[in-house]
Amino acid sequence: MLLAIDIGNTNTVLGLFNGDKLVTNWRFETDSNKSADEYGMLINNLFTFEGQKMSDVKDVIISTVVPSVLYTMQHMSVKYFHRRAIVVESGVKTGLIIRYDNPKQVGADRIVNAVAAYNKYHGPLIIIDFGTATTFCAVTDKAEYLGGTIAPGLKISSDALFEKTAQLPKVELEEPGKTICKNTVQSMQSGLIYGHMGLVEHVVAKMSKELSDYCGGKEVKVIATGGLATLISSGVACIDEVDKMLTLEGLSIIYKKNPHLHNRQATDPSVADNWNHAE
């Protein structure tokens, strides 16, 4: 089995694959203060609850936008799975042609999402990930990753309203059902949710035009993923598909593209010479 780990700024998502099949998945809060042993025990408990055996895991693959947690998870992989984890970074085969000015600046999560989306839906594509940040990525019909747009996510915007104002409260991220609101909580929900929907529609409209022109007028498909994808997609017409497991599936695809990195056994958890580099 393959354990795929996506470490985000807010949440870490795990997926357990048996071949191409996603057997189960888990989500928990990313905590840079946790040790490798704490993460190992947490993952052990999750496996036990689902009736899975950690000994069945033959490989581990990690993507992350949180460098401070990467070493911890690599150490955890060695100690608890006896495998040196594959890290999605420069040098790992993805099947994409990266057209970014500096490819090393592209977040691993954006690349992993693009790999999965292109494999499932082909191109041209816009992939929107509703995470801590809301990211928009453009991929051509020839598997070229062109770049995209990064905006504050809904949770960041909500937290900023609460933290930077004296009297505004924290609110649940849910639709109030109207924009002419008669109380502060609903007024904030309206601004956050409907404002974000408007942002999505405007960015997608502009990006679709640019991407379609680049691809000779071909129709652009829009795929959404991330924890808040369903909420936002319910109020916009520009999203064609919501695919919550896109990142995990992308990790599985990248794993298959890199057989030379499979089954890297590691019995000594103190050996970390090249953990941060693809071999």
Side-chain angles (χ1 to χ4, degrees), residues 78-144:
V78 169
K79 185 170 183 180
Y80 289 90
F81 294 100
H82 309 294
R83 293 293 185 273
R84 290 176 60 197
I86 301 166
V87 179
V88 179
E89 59 187 350
S90 179
V92 170
K93 296 177 182 177
T94 63
L96 296 178
I97 303 165
I98 310 299
R99 300 296 190 195
Y100 220 63
D101 290 344
N102 182 354
K104 291 183 179 180
Q105 291 182 346
V106 186
D109 54 340
R110 299 174 72 186
I111 295 298
V112 172
N113 285 340
V115 167
Y118 185 80
N119 185 74
K120 293 180 72 173
Y121 306 103
H122 310 295
L125 290 168
I126 294 171
I127 305 107
I128 312 173
D129 189 347
F130 294 97
T132 305
T134 296
T135 61
F136 302 76
C137 298
V139 179
T140 73
D141 54 325
K142 296 180 181 178
E144 299 168 288

